[in-house]
Amino acid sequence: MDWPAEPIPDEDRLYYRVHRTYVRLDEIEPAAFANRPKGSKSMSVDGEKYTSPEETRARARKPIENAVVQFVAGQVRAVPGQKVEHSPDLLSGNRSHSDVIGEKTPEVRVHLSRIHTLVIPLGQDIHEAKQSNL
Amino acid sequence: MFPQAVLPSPLKEIDEVVESSRRILELKHDWDGEGASPIAESTWRRAVEFLRGTAYTLWTKHNLRMERPSLVPVADGSIDLHWKLSNRELLVNIPTANDEWASYYGDNRLGGNTVRGKLDTGAPNRWLFVWLTE
């Protein structure tokens, strides 16, 4: 299997899982947008070329506890200190895996909380999610 | 400080936020399914002492009411205090290391009138919360 890293155009969408802890009355807290695991320099997202929001949610350990939001790559790149790079994950078989690289300061997290769109709300059944995103 | 039974209502509201936030101390390792760290009691205590102390000072010295923040766990074990008002947004992050200053960012929700930097949670920091209520 050979999955070279590819350029991600500015107009491409990126999908990101958000745990229920961060969802307050359908708004996403800036705390959701963090580099993880602890010590990591990037936030994992999935690029639209090789995945869907439903697949992004299905990759969670407990999908039902997660919502999915989307970003536009160029808007993320406009946030201070952030780069977007494709980084396919051979180990987990996730060709869409990409990174938002850069320190997630309070300023960055507030900006990320303003540029996302909720695509799968919390608690939505996976089949409903598929229908509403068709 | 006021005895609990006679707290003025603005301080009572902050006290309610504090009390309901206690549950974040029950989060176990990997609570988000992505490897999140638990919240240490020392980090929580620092966050709530900062919140209570600042609300008390604002009310008793300036007759200003502090709006309710969200108190949200972050995956690295730190805590976010987040105020989202009609014309102001402020995010203060209380780090896990007790000797490290908190970092903050705020603006008028349009990217103007910005404040950013680090603060000593043991200091009054009145100016920042006067800014928040402007």
Side-chain angles (χ1 to χ4, degrees):
Chain A
M1 203 157 42
D2 184 22
W3 291 342
E6 300 171 29
I8 299 180
D10 276 350
E11 61 273 19
D12 271 20
R13 287 171 289 193
L14 308 168
Y15 304 122
Y16 180 66
R17 278 190 301 280
V18 174
H19 190 258
R20 65 180 180 188
T21 308
Y22 303 120
V23 184
R24 304 275 161 106
L25 303 171
D26 275 346
E27 289 208 16
I28 310 292
E29 285 287 339
F33 307 109
N35 292 341
R36 51 191 196 196
K38 192 173 182 176
S40 167
K41 295 185 186 317
S42 67
M43 181 175 99
S44 290
V45 293
D46 293 333
E48 70 167 326
K49 184 171 179 184
Y50 295 111
T51 199
S52 66
E54 295 77 25
E55 287 170 342
T56 291
R57 190 172 84 149
R59 278 189 274 270
R61 198 164 301 161
K62 293 182 182 170
I64 195 70
E65 293 186 357
N66 288 264
V68 176
V69 299
Q70 75 179 27
F71 297 102
V72 176
Q75 291 181 352
V76 174
R77 289 185 174 118
V79 174
Q82 305 304 298
K83 288 193 295 185
V84 177
E85 290 180 2
H86 184 214
S87 50
D89 186 346
L90 290 170
L91 275 180
S92 67
N94 181 4
R95 189 170 188 179
S96 68
H97 185 268
S98 305
D99 285 304
V100 178
I101 303 163
E103 193 183 352
K104 303 298 180 289
T105 61
E107 178 174 5
V108 169
R109 293 193 285 114
V110 165
H111 286 304
L112 291 173
S113 75
R114 289 176 182 168
I115 60 171
H116 73 267
T117 307
L118 185 63
V119 287
I120 303 181
L122 199 59
Q124 189 172 19
D125 176 77
I126 198 79
H127 302 294
E128 286 173 40
K130 242 178 199 159
Q131 288 297 320
S132 62
N133 285 296
L134 280 177
Chain B
M1 290 277 184
F2 295 96
Q4 185 74 15
V6 292
L7 274 181
S9 71
L11 301 187
K12 212 168 186 171
E13 282 179 19
I14 295 300
D15 218 54
E16 286 166 8
V17 171
V18 167
E19 288 309 316
S20 70
S21 74
R22 269 183 200 279
R23 63 176 185 271
I24 70 173
L25 294 173
E26 293 164 14
L27 295 170
K28 309 280 186 227
H29 174 71
D30 196 26
W31 49 266
D32 65 350
E34 312 267 355
S37 300
I39 304 298
E41 181 151 357
S42 57
T43 309
W44 180 78
R45 286 205 176 283
R46 188 178 172 201
V48 302
E49 281 166 15
F50 170 67
L51 197 54
R52 281 180 165 145
T54 313
Y56 176 83
T57 305
L58 271 185
W59 180 248
T60 55
K61 299 213 184 319
H62 301 272
N63 202 26
L64 289 173
R65 172 194 208 104
M66 178 188 274
E67 295 289 337
R68 281 169 177 260
S70 308
L71 196 154
V72 190
V74 186
D76 65 357
S78 65
I79 293 175
D80 271 0
L81 297 169
H82 182 215
W83 289 263
K84 194 169 181 181
L85 313 181
S86 59
N87 63 346
R88 289 280 190 277
E89 185 164 9
L90 175 65
L91 183 65
V92 179
N93 179 255
I94 309 294
T96 53
N98 283 331
D99 56 354
E100 194 182 325
W101 283 21
S103 51
Y104 65 90
Y105 173 79
D107 66 22
N108 63 1
R109 297 188 63 183
L110 298 169
N113 196 3
T114 56
V115 290
R116 63 168 72 78
K118 292 195 178 268
L119 59 82
D120 176 0
T121 53
N125 299 298
R126 284 192 287 263
W127 69 270
L128 184 57
F129 292 92
V130 171
W131 170 88
L132 184 64
T133 58
E134 276 173 358

